[in-house]
Amino acid sequence: MFSANQVSAGNKLIVTVLLLPVILTGCTYSTTLSPPADSRNIHFSATVPADLESLPLSAMYRSKKCTRTRTSGSGKSYDVPGFNSAKYPLSVTANGDVTADIPVSGGGYCDWQLSNIKFEVRMKEPKIIESGISDNFGFKTVFITDNNAPQAFNGGYTSHKGDFNESLLLFPFISEYFLGGHKKTIEVIGESDMLTYRLSGANNIHLMVVYDKNMVSRWTDVKEKKEGNRTVITYPNGEEERKSKSYPDYKKLLKIYEERKNHIQR
């Protein structure tokens, strides 16, 4: 469980930590990250398919020393751990993996400590799937290393002890809007809107990203005179499903994916 200033694991709402201007307690000081040379690193690596691109790692650090003051709805002030962020570019290894070393101690006057890491992949060339796409959204995987709510959170997490080595299966998904003007967006989707892991004792994180560009599903809003407005999910096998939600059923996608694999292997 996260503490009072954090988000409960049972909350299913997506929460993004907003880095709003707040009051730093104490005297004026530098909040610059300055990892000491002997800081323990978490080694991150990921195997990413050629059709996807990885964005720089986003790391958030927390400080119990440099707190921040917030005001509750009743007007009462209270302190929370300070937060700071850093981007870590990913380098490419000889075998094609992307990798970075993330210092656990951010150092500096505030004694910053690593709180969470966010990794994101998105489509490299959306036009390969379809033309006319205006927005390209990625899929996020977040690794929590303390008891604080992360920078992006969907209300739940999976606990993991020791080094992390897991695979992630993603599919392309197009959303097409007709009402109020035509617009198409694309994103890569997984088992949920994002994945969050709470790590304990991890020195190494490796993520194997698997992606099938031929498993395209589509959501559309449709305006019909007889039936009124309706939303439709079209699956890679052509099956249609009316849904108010704008995401396909991942279990159904997985079944289609396995059926296609088995057919090819025969």
Side-chain angles (χ1 to χ4, degrees):
M1 292 292 293
F2 294 123
S3 60
N5 64 295
Q6 301 147 354
V7 182
S8 168
N11 186 349
K12 297 305 180 184
L13 295 177
I14 298 175
V15 177
T16 300
V17 176
L18 300 177
L19 305 184
L20 298 175
V22 288
I23 301 171
L24 292 171
T25 61
C27 301
T28 302
Y29 48 76
S30 172
T31 58
T32 303
L33 292 169
S34 181
D38 60 351
S39 172
R40 179 173 73 88
N41 289 331
I42 290 181
H43 179 72
F44 176 89
S45 62
T47 303
V48 181
D51 289 327
L52 301 182
E53 64 178 359
S54 51
L55 303 184
L57 287 180
S58 176
M60 175 176 282
Y61 290 82
R62 298 274 187 170
S63 171
K64 295 180 180 179
K65 184 177 181 180
C66 300
T67 58
R68 300 197 175 209
T69 300
R70 286 179 170 166
T71 304
S72 66
S74 62
K76 184 178 180 180
S77 296
Y78 62 98
D79 291 341
V80 298
F83 43 82
N84 210 338
S85 60
K87 297 286 187 181
Y88 291 94
L90 290 158
S91 55
V92 182
T93 64
N95 65 358
D97 286 355
V98 293
T99 183
D101 288 322
I102 311 301
V104 173
S105 172
Y109 173 88
C110 295
D111 188 27
W112 298 105
Q113 297 297 315
L114 183 64
S115 179
N116 61 82
I117 303 167
K118 182 179 72 175
F119 174 65
E120 183 174 356
V121 291
R122 66 182 181 186
M123 202 84 62
K124 186 182 293 184
E125 293 288 346
K127 63 183 179 182
I128 292 177
I129 300 294
E130 193 168 302
S131 62
I133 292 170
S134 58
D135 295 306
N136 179 18
F137 299 108
F139 184 88
K140 302 177 183 68
T141 307
V142 174
F143 302 94
I144 305 171
T145 58
D146 64 6
N147 294 320
N148 291 290
Q151 53 193 300
F153 194 44
N154 64 351
Y157 59 80
T158 301
S159 295
H160 185 94
K161 292 184 178 180
D163 287 345
F164 182 93
N165 190 350
E166 300 287 344
S167 61
L168 171 64
L169 179 58
L170 301 177
F171 304 121
F173 176 56
I174 294 173
S175 296
E176 189 165 12
Y177 305 84
F178 291 96
L179 302 178
H182 186 230
K183 179 182 178 181
K184 280 193 290 186
T185 66
I186 196 166
E187 59 190 302
V188 282
I189 60 171
E191 186 175 357
S192 58
D193 53 351
M194 62 180 288
L195 288 177
T196 307
Y197 297 92
R198 185 162 180 252
L199 305 183
S200 174
N203 292 313
N204 297 281
I205 298 172
H206 181 75
L207 195 60
M208 170 72 74
V209 182
V210 181
Y211 167 75
D212 190 336
K213 66 181 180 181
N214 297 312
M215 282 284 299
V216 182
S217 53
R218 180 189 300 268
W219 173 89
T220 56
D221 65 357
V222 181
K223 187 174 183 180
E224 295 183 344
K225 291 181 180 180
K226 292 182 179 180
E227 300 184 43
N229 298 341
R230 65 187 180 100
T231 58
V232 178
I233 294 282
T234 305
Y235 288 87
N237 61 358
E239 179 184 345
E240 289 190 351
E241 180 180 37
R242 293 195 184 191
K243 296 186 70 172
S244 57
K245 285 180 63 177
S246 58
Y247 281 93
D249 185 328
Y250 185 79
K251 290 182 178 179
K252 186 174 290 188
L253 286 174
L254 195 58
K255 182 180 179 182
I256 297 170
Y257 175 76
E258 294 296 338
E259 288 173 348
R260 289 186 173 186
K261 277 206 318 182
N262 292 335
H263 180 74
I264 292 174
Q265 292 172 357
R266 290 173 185 173

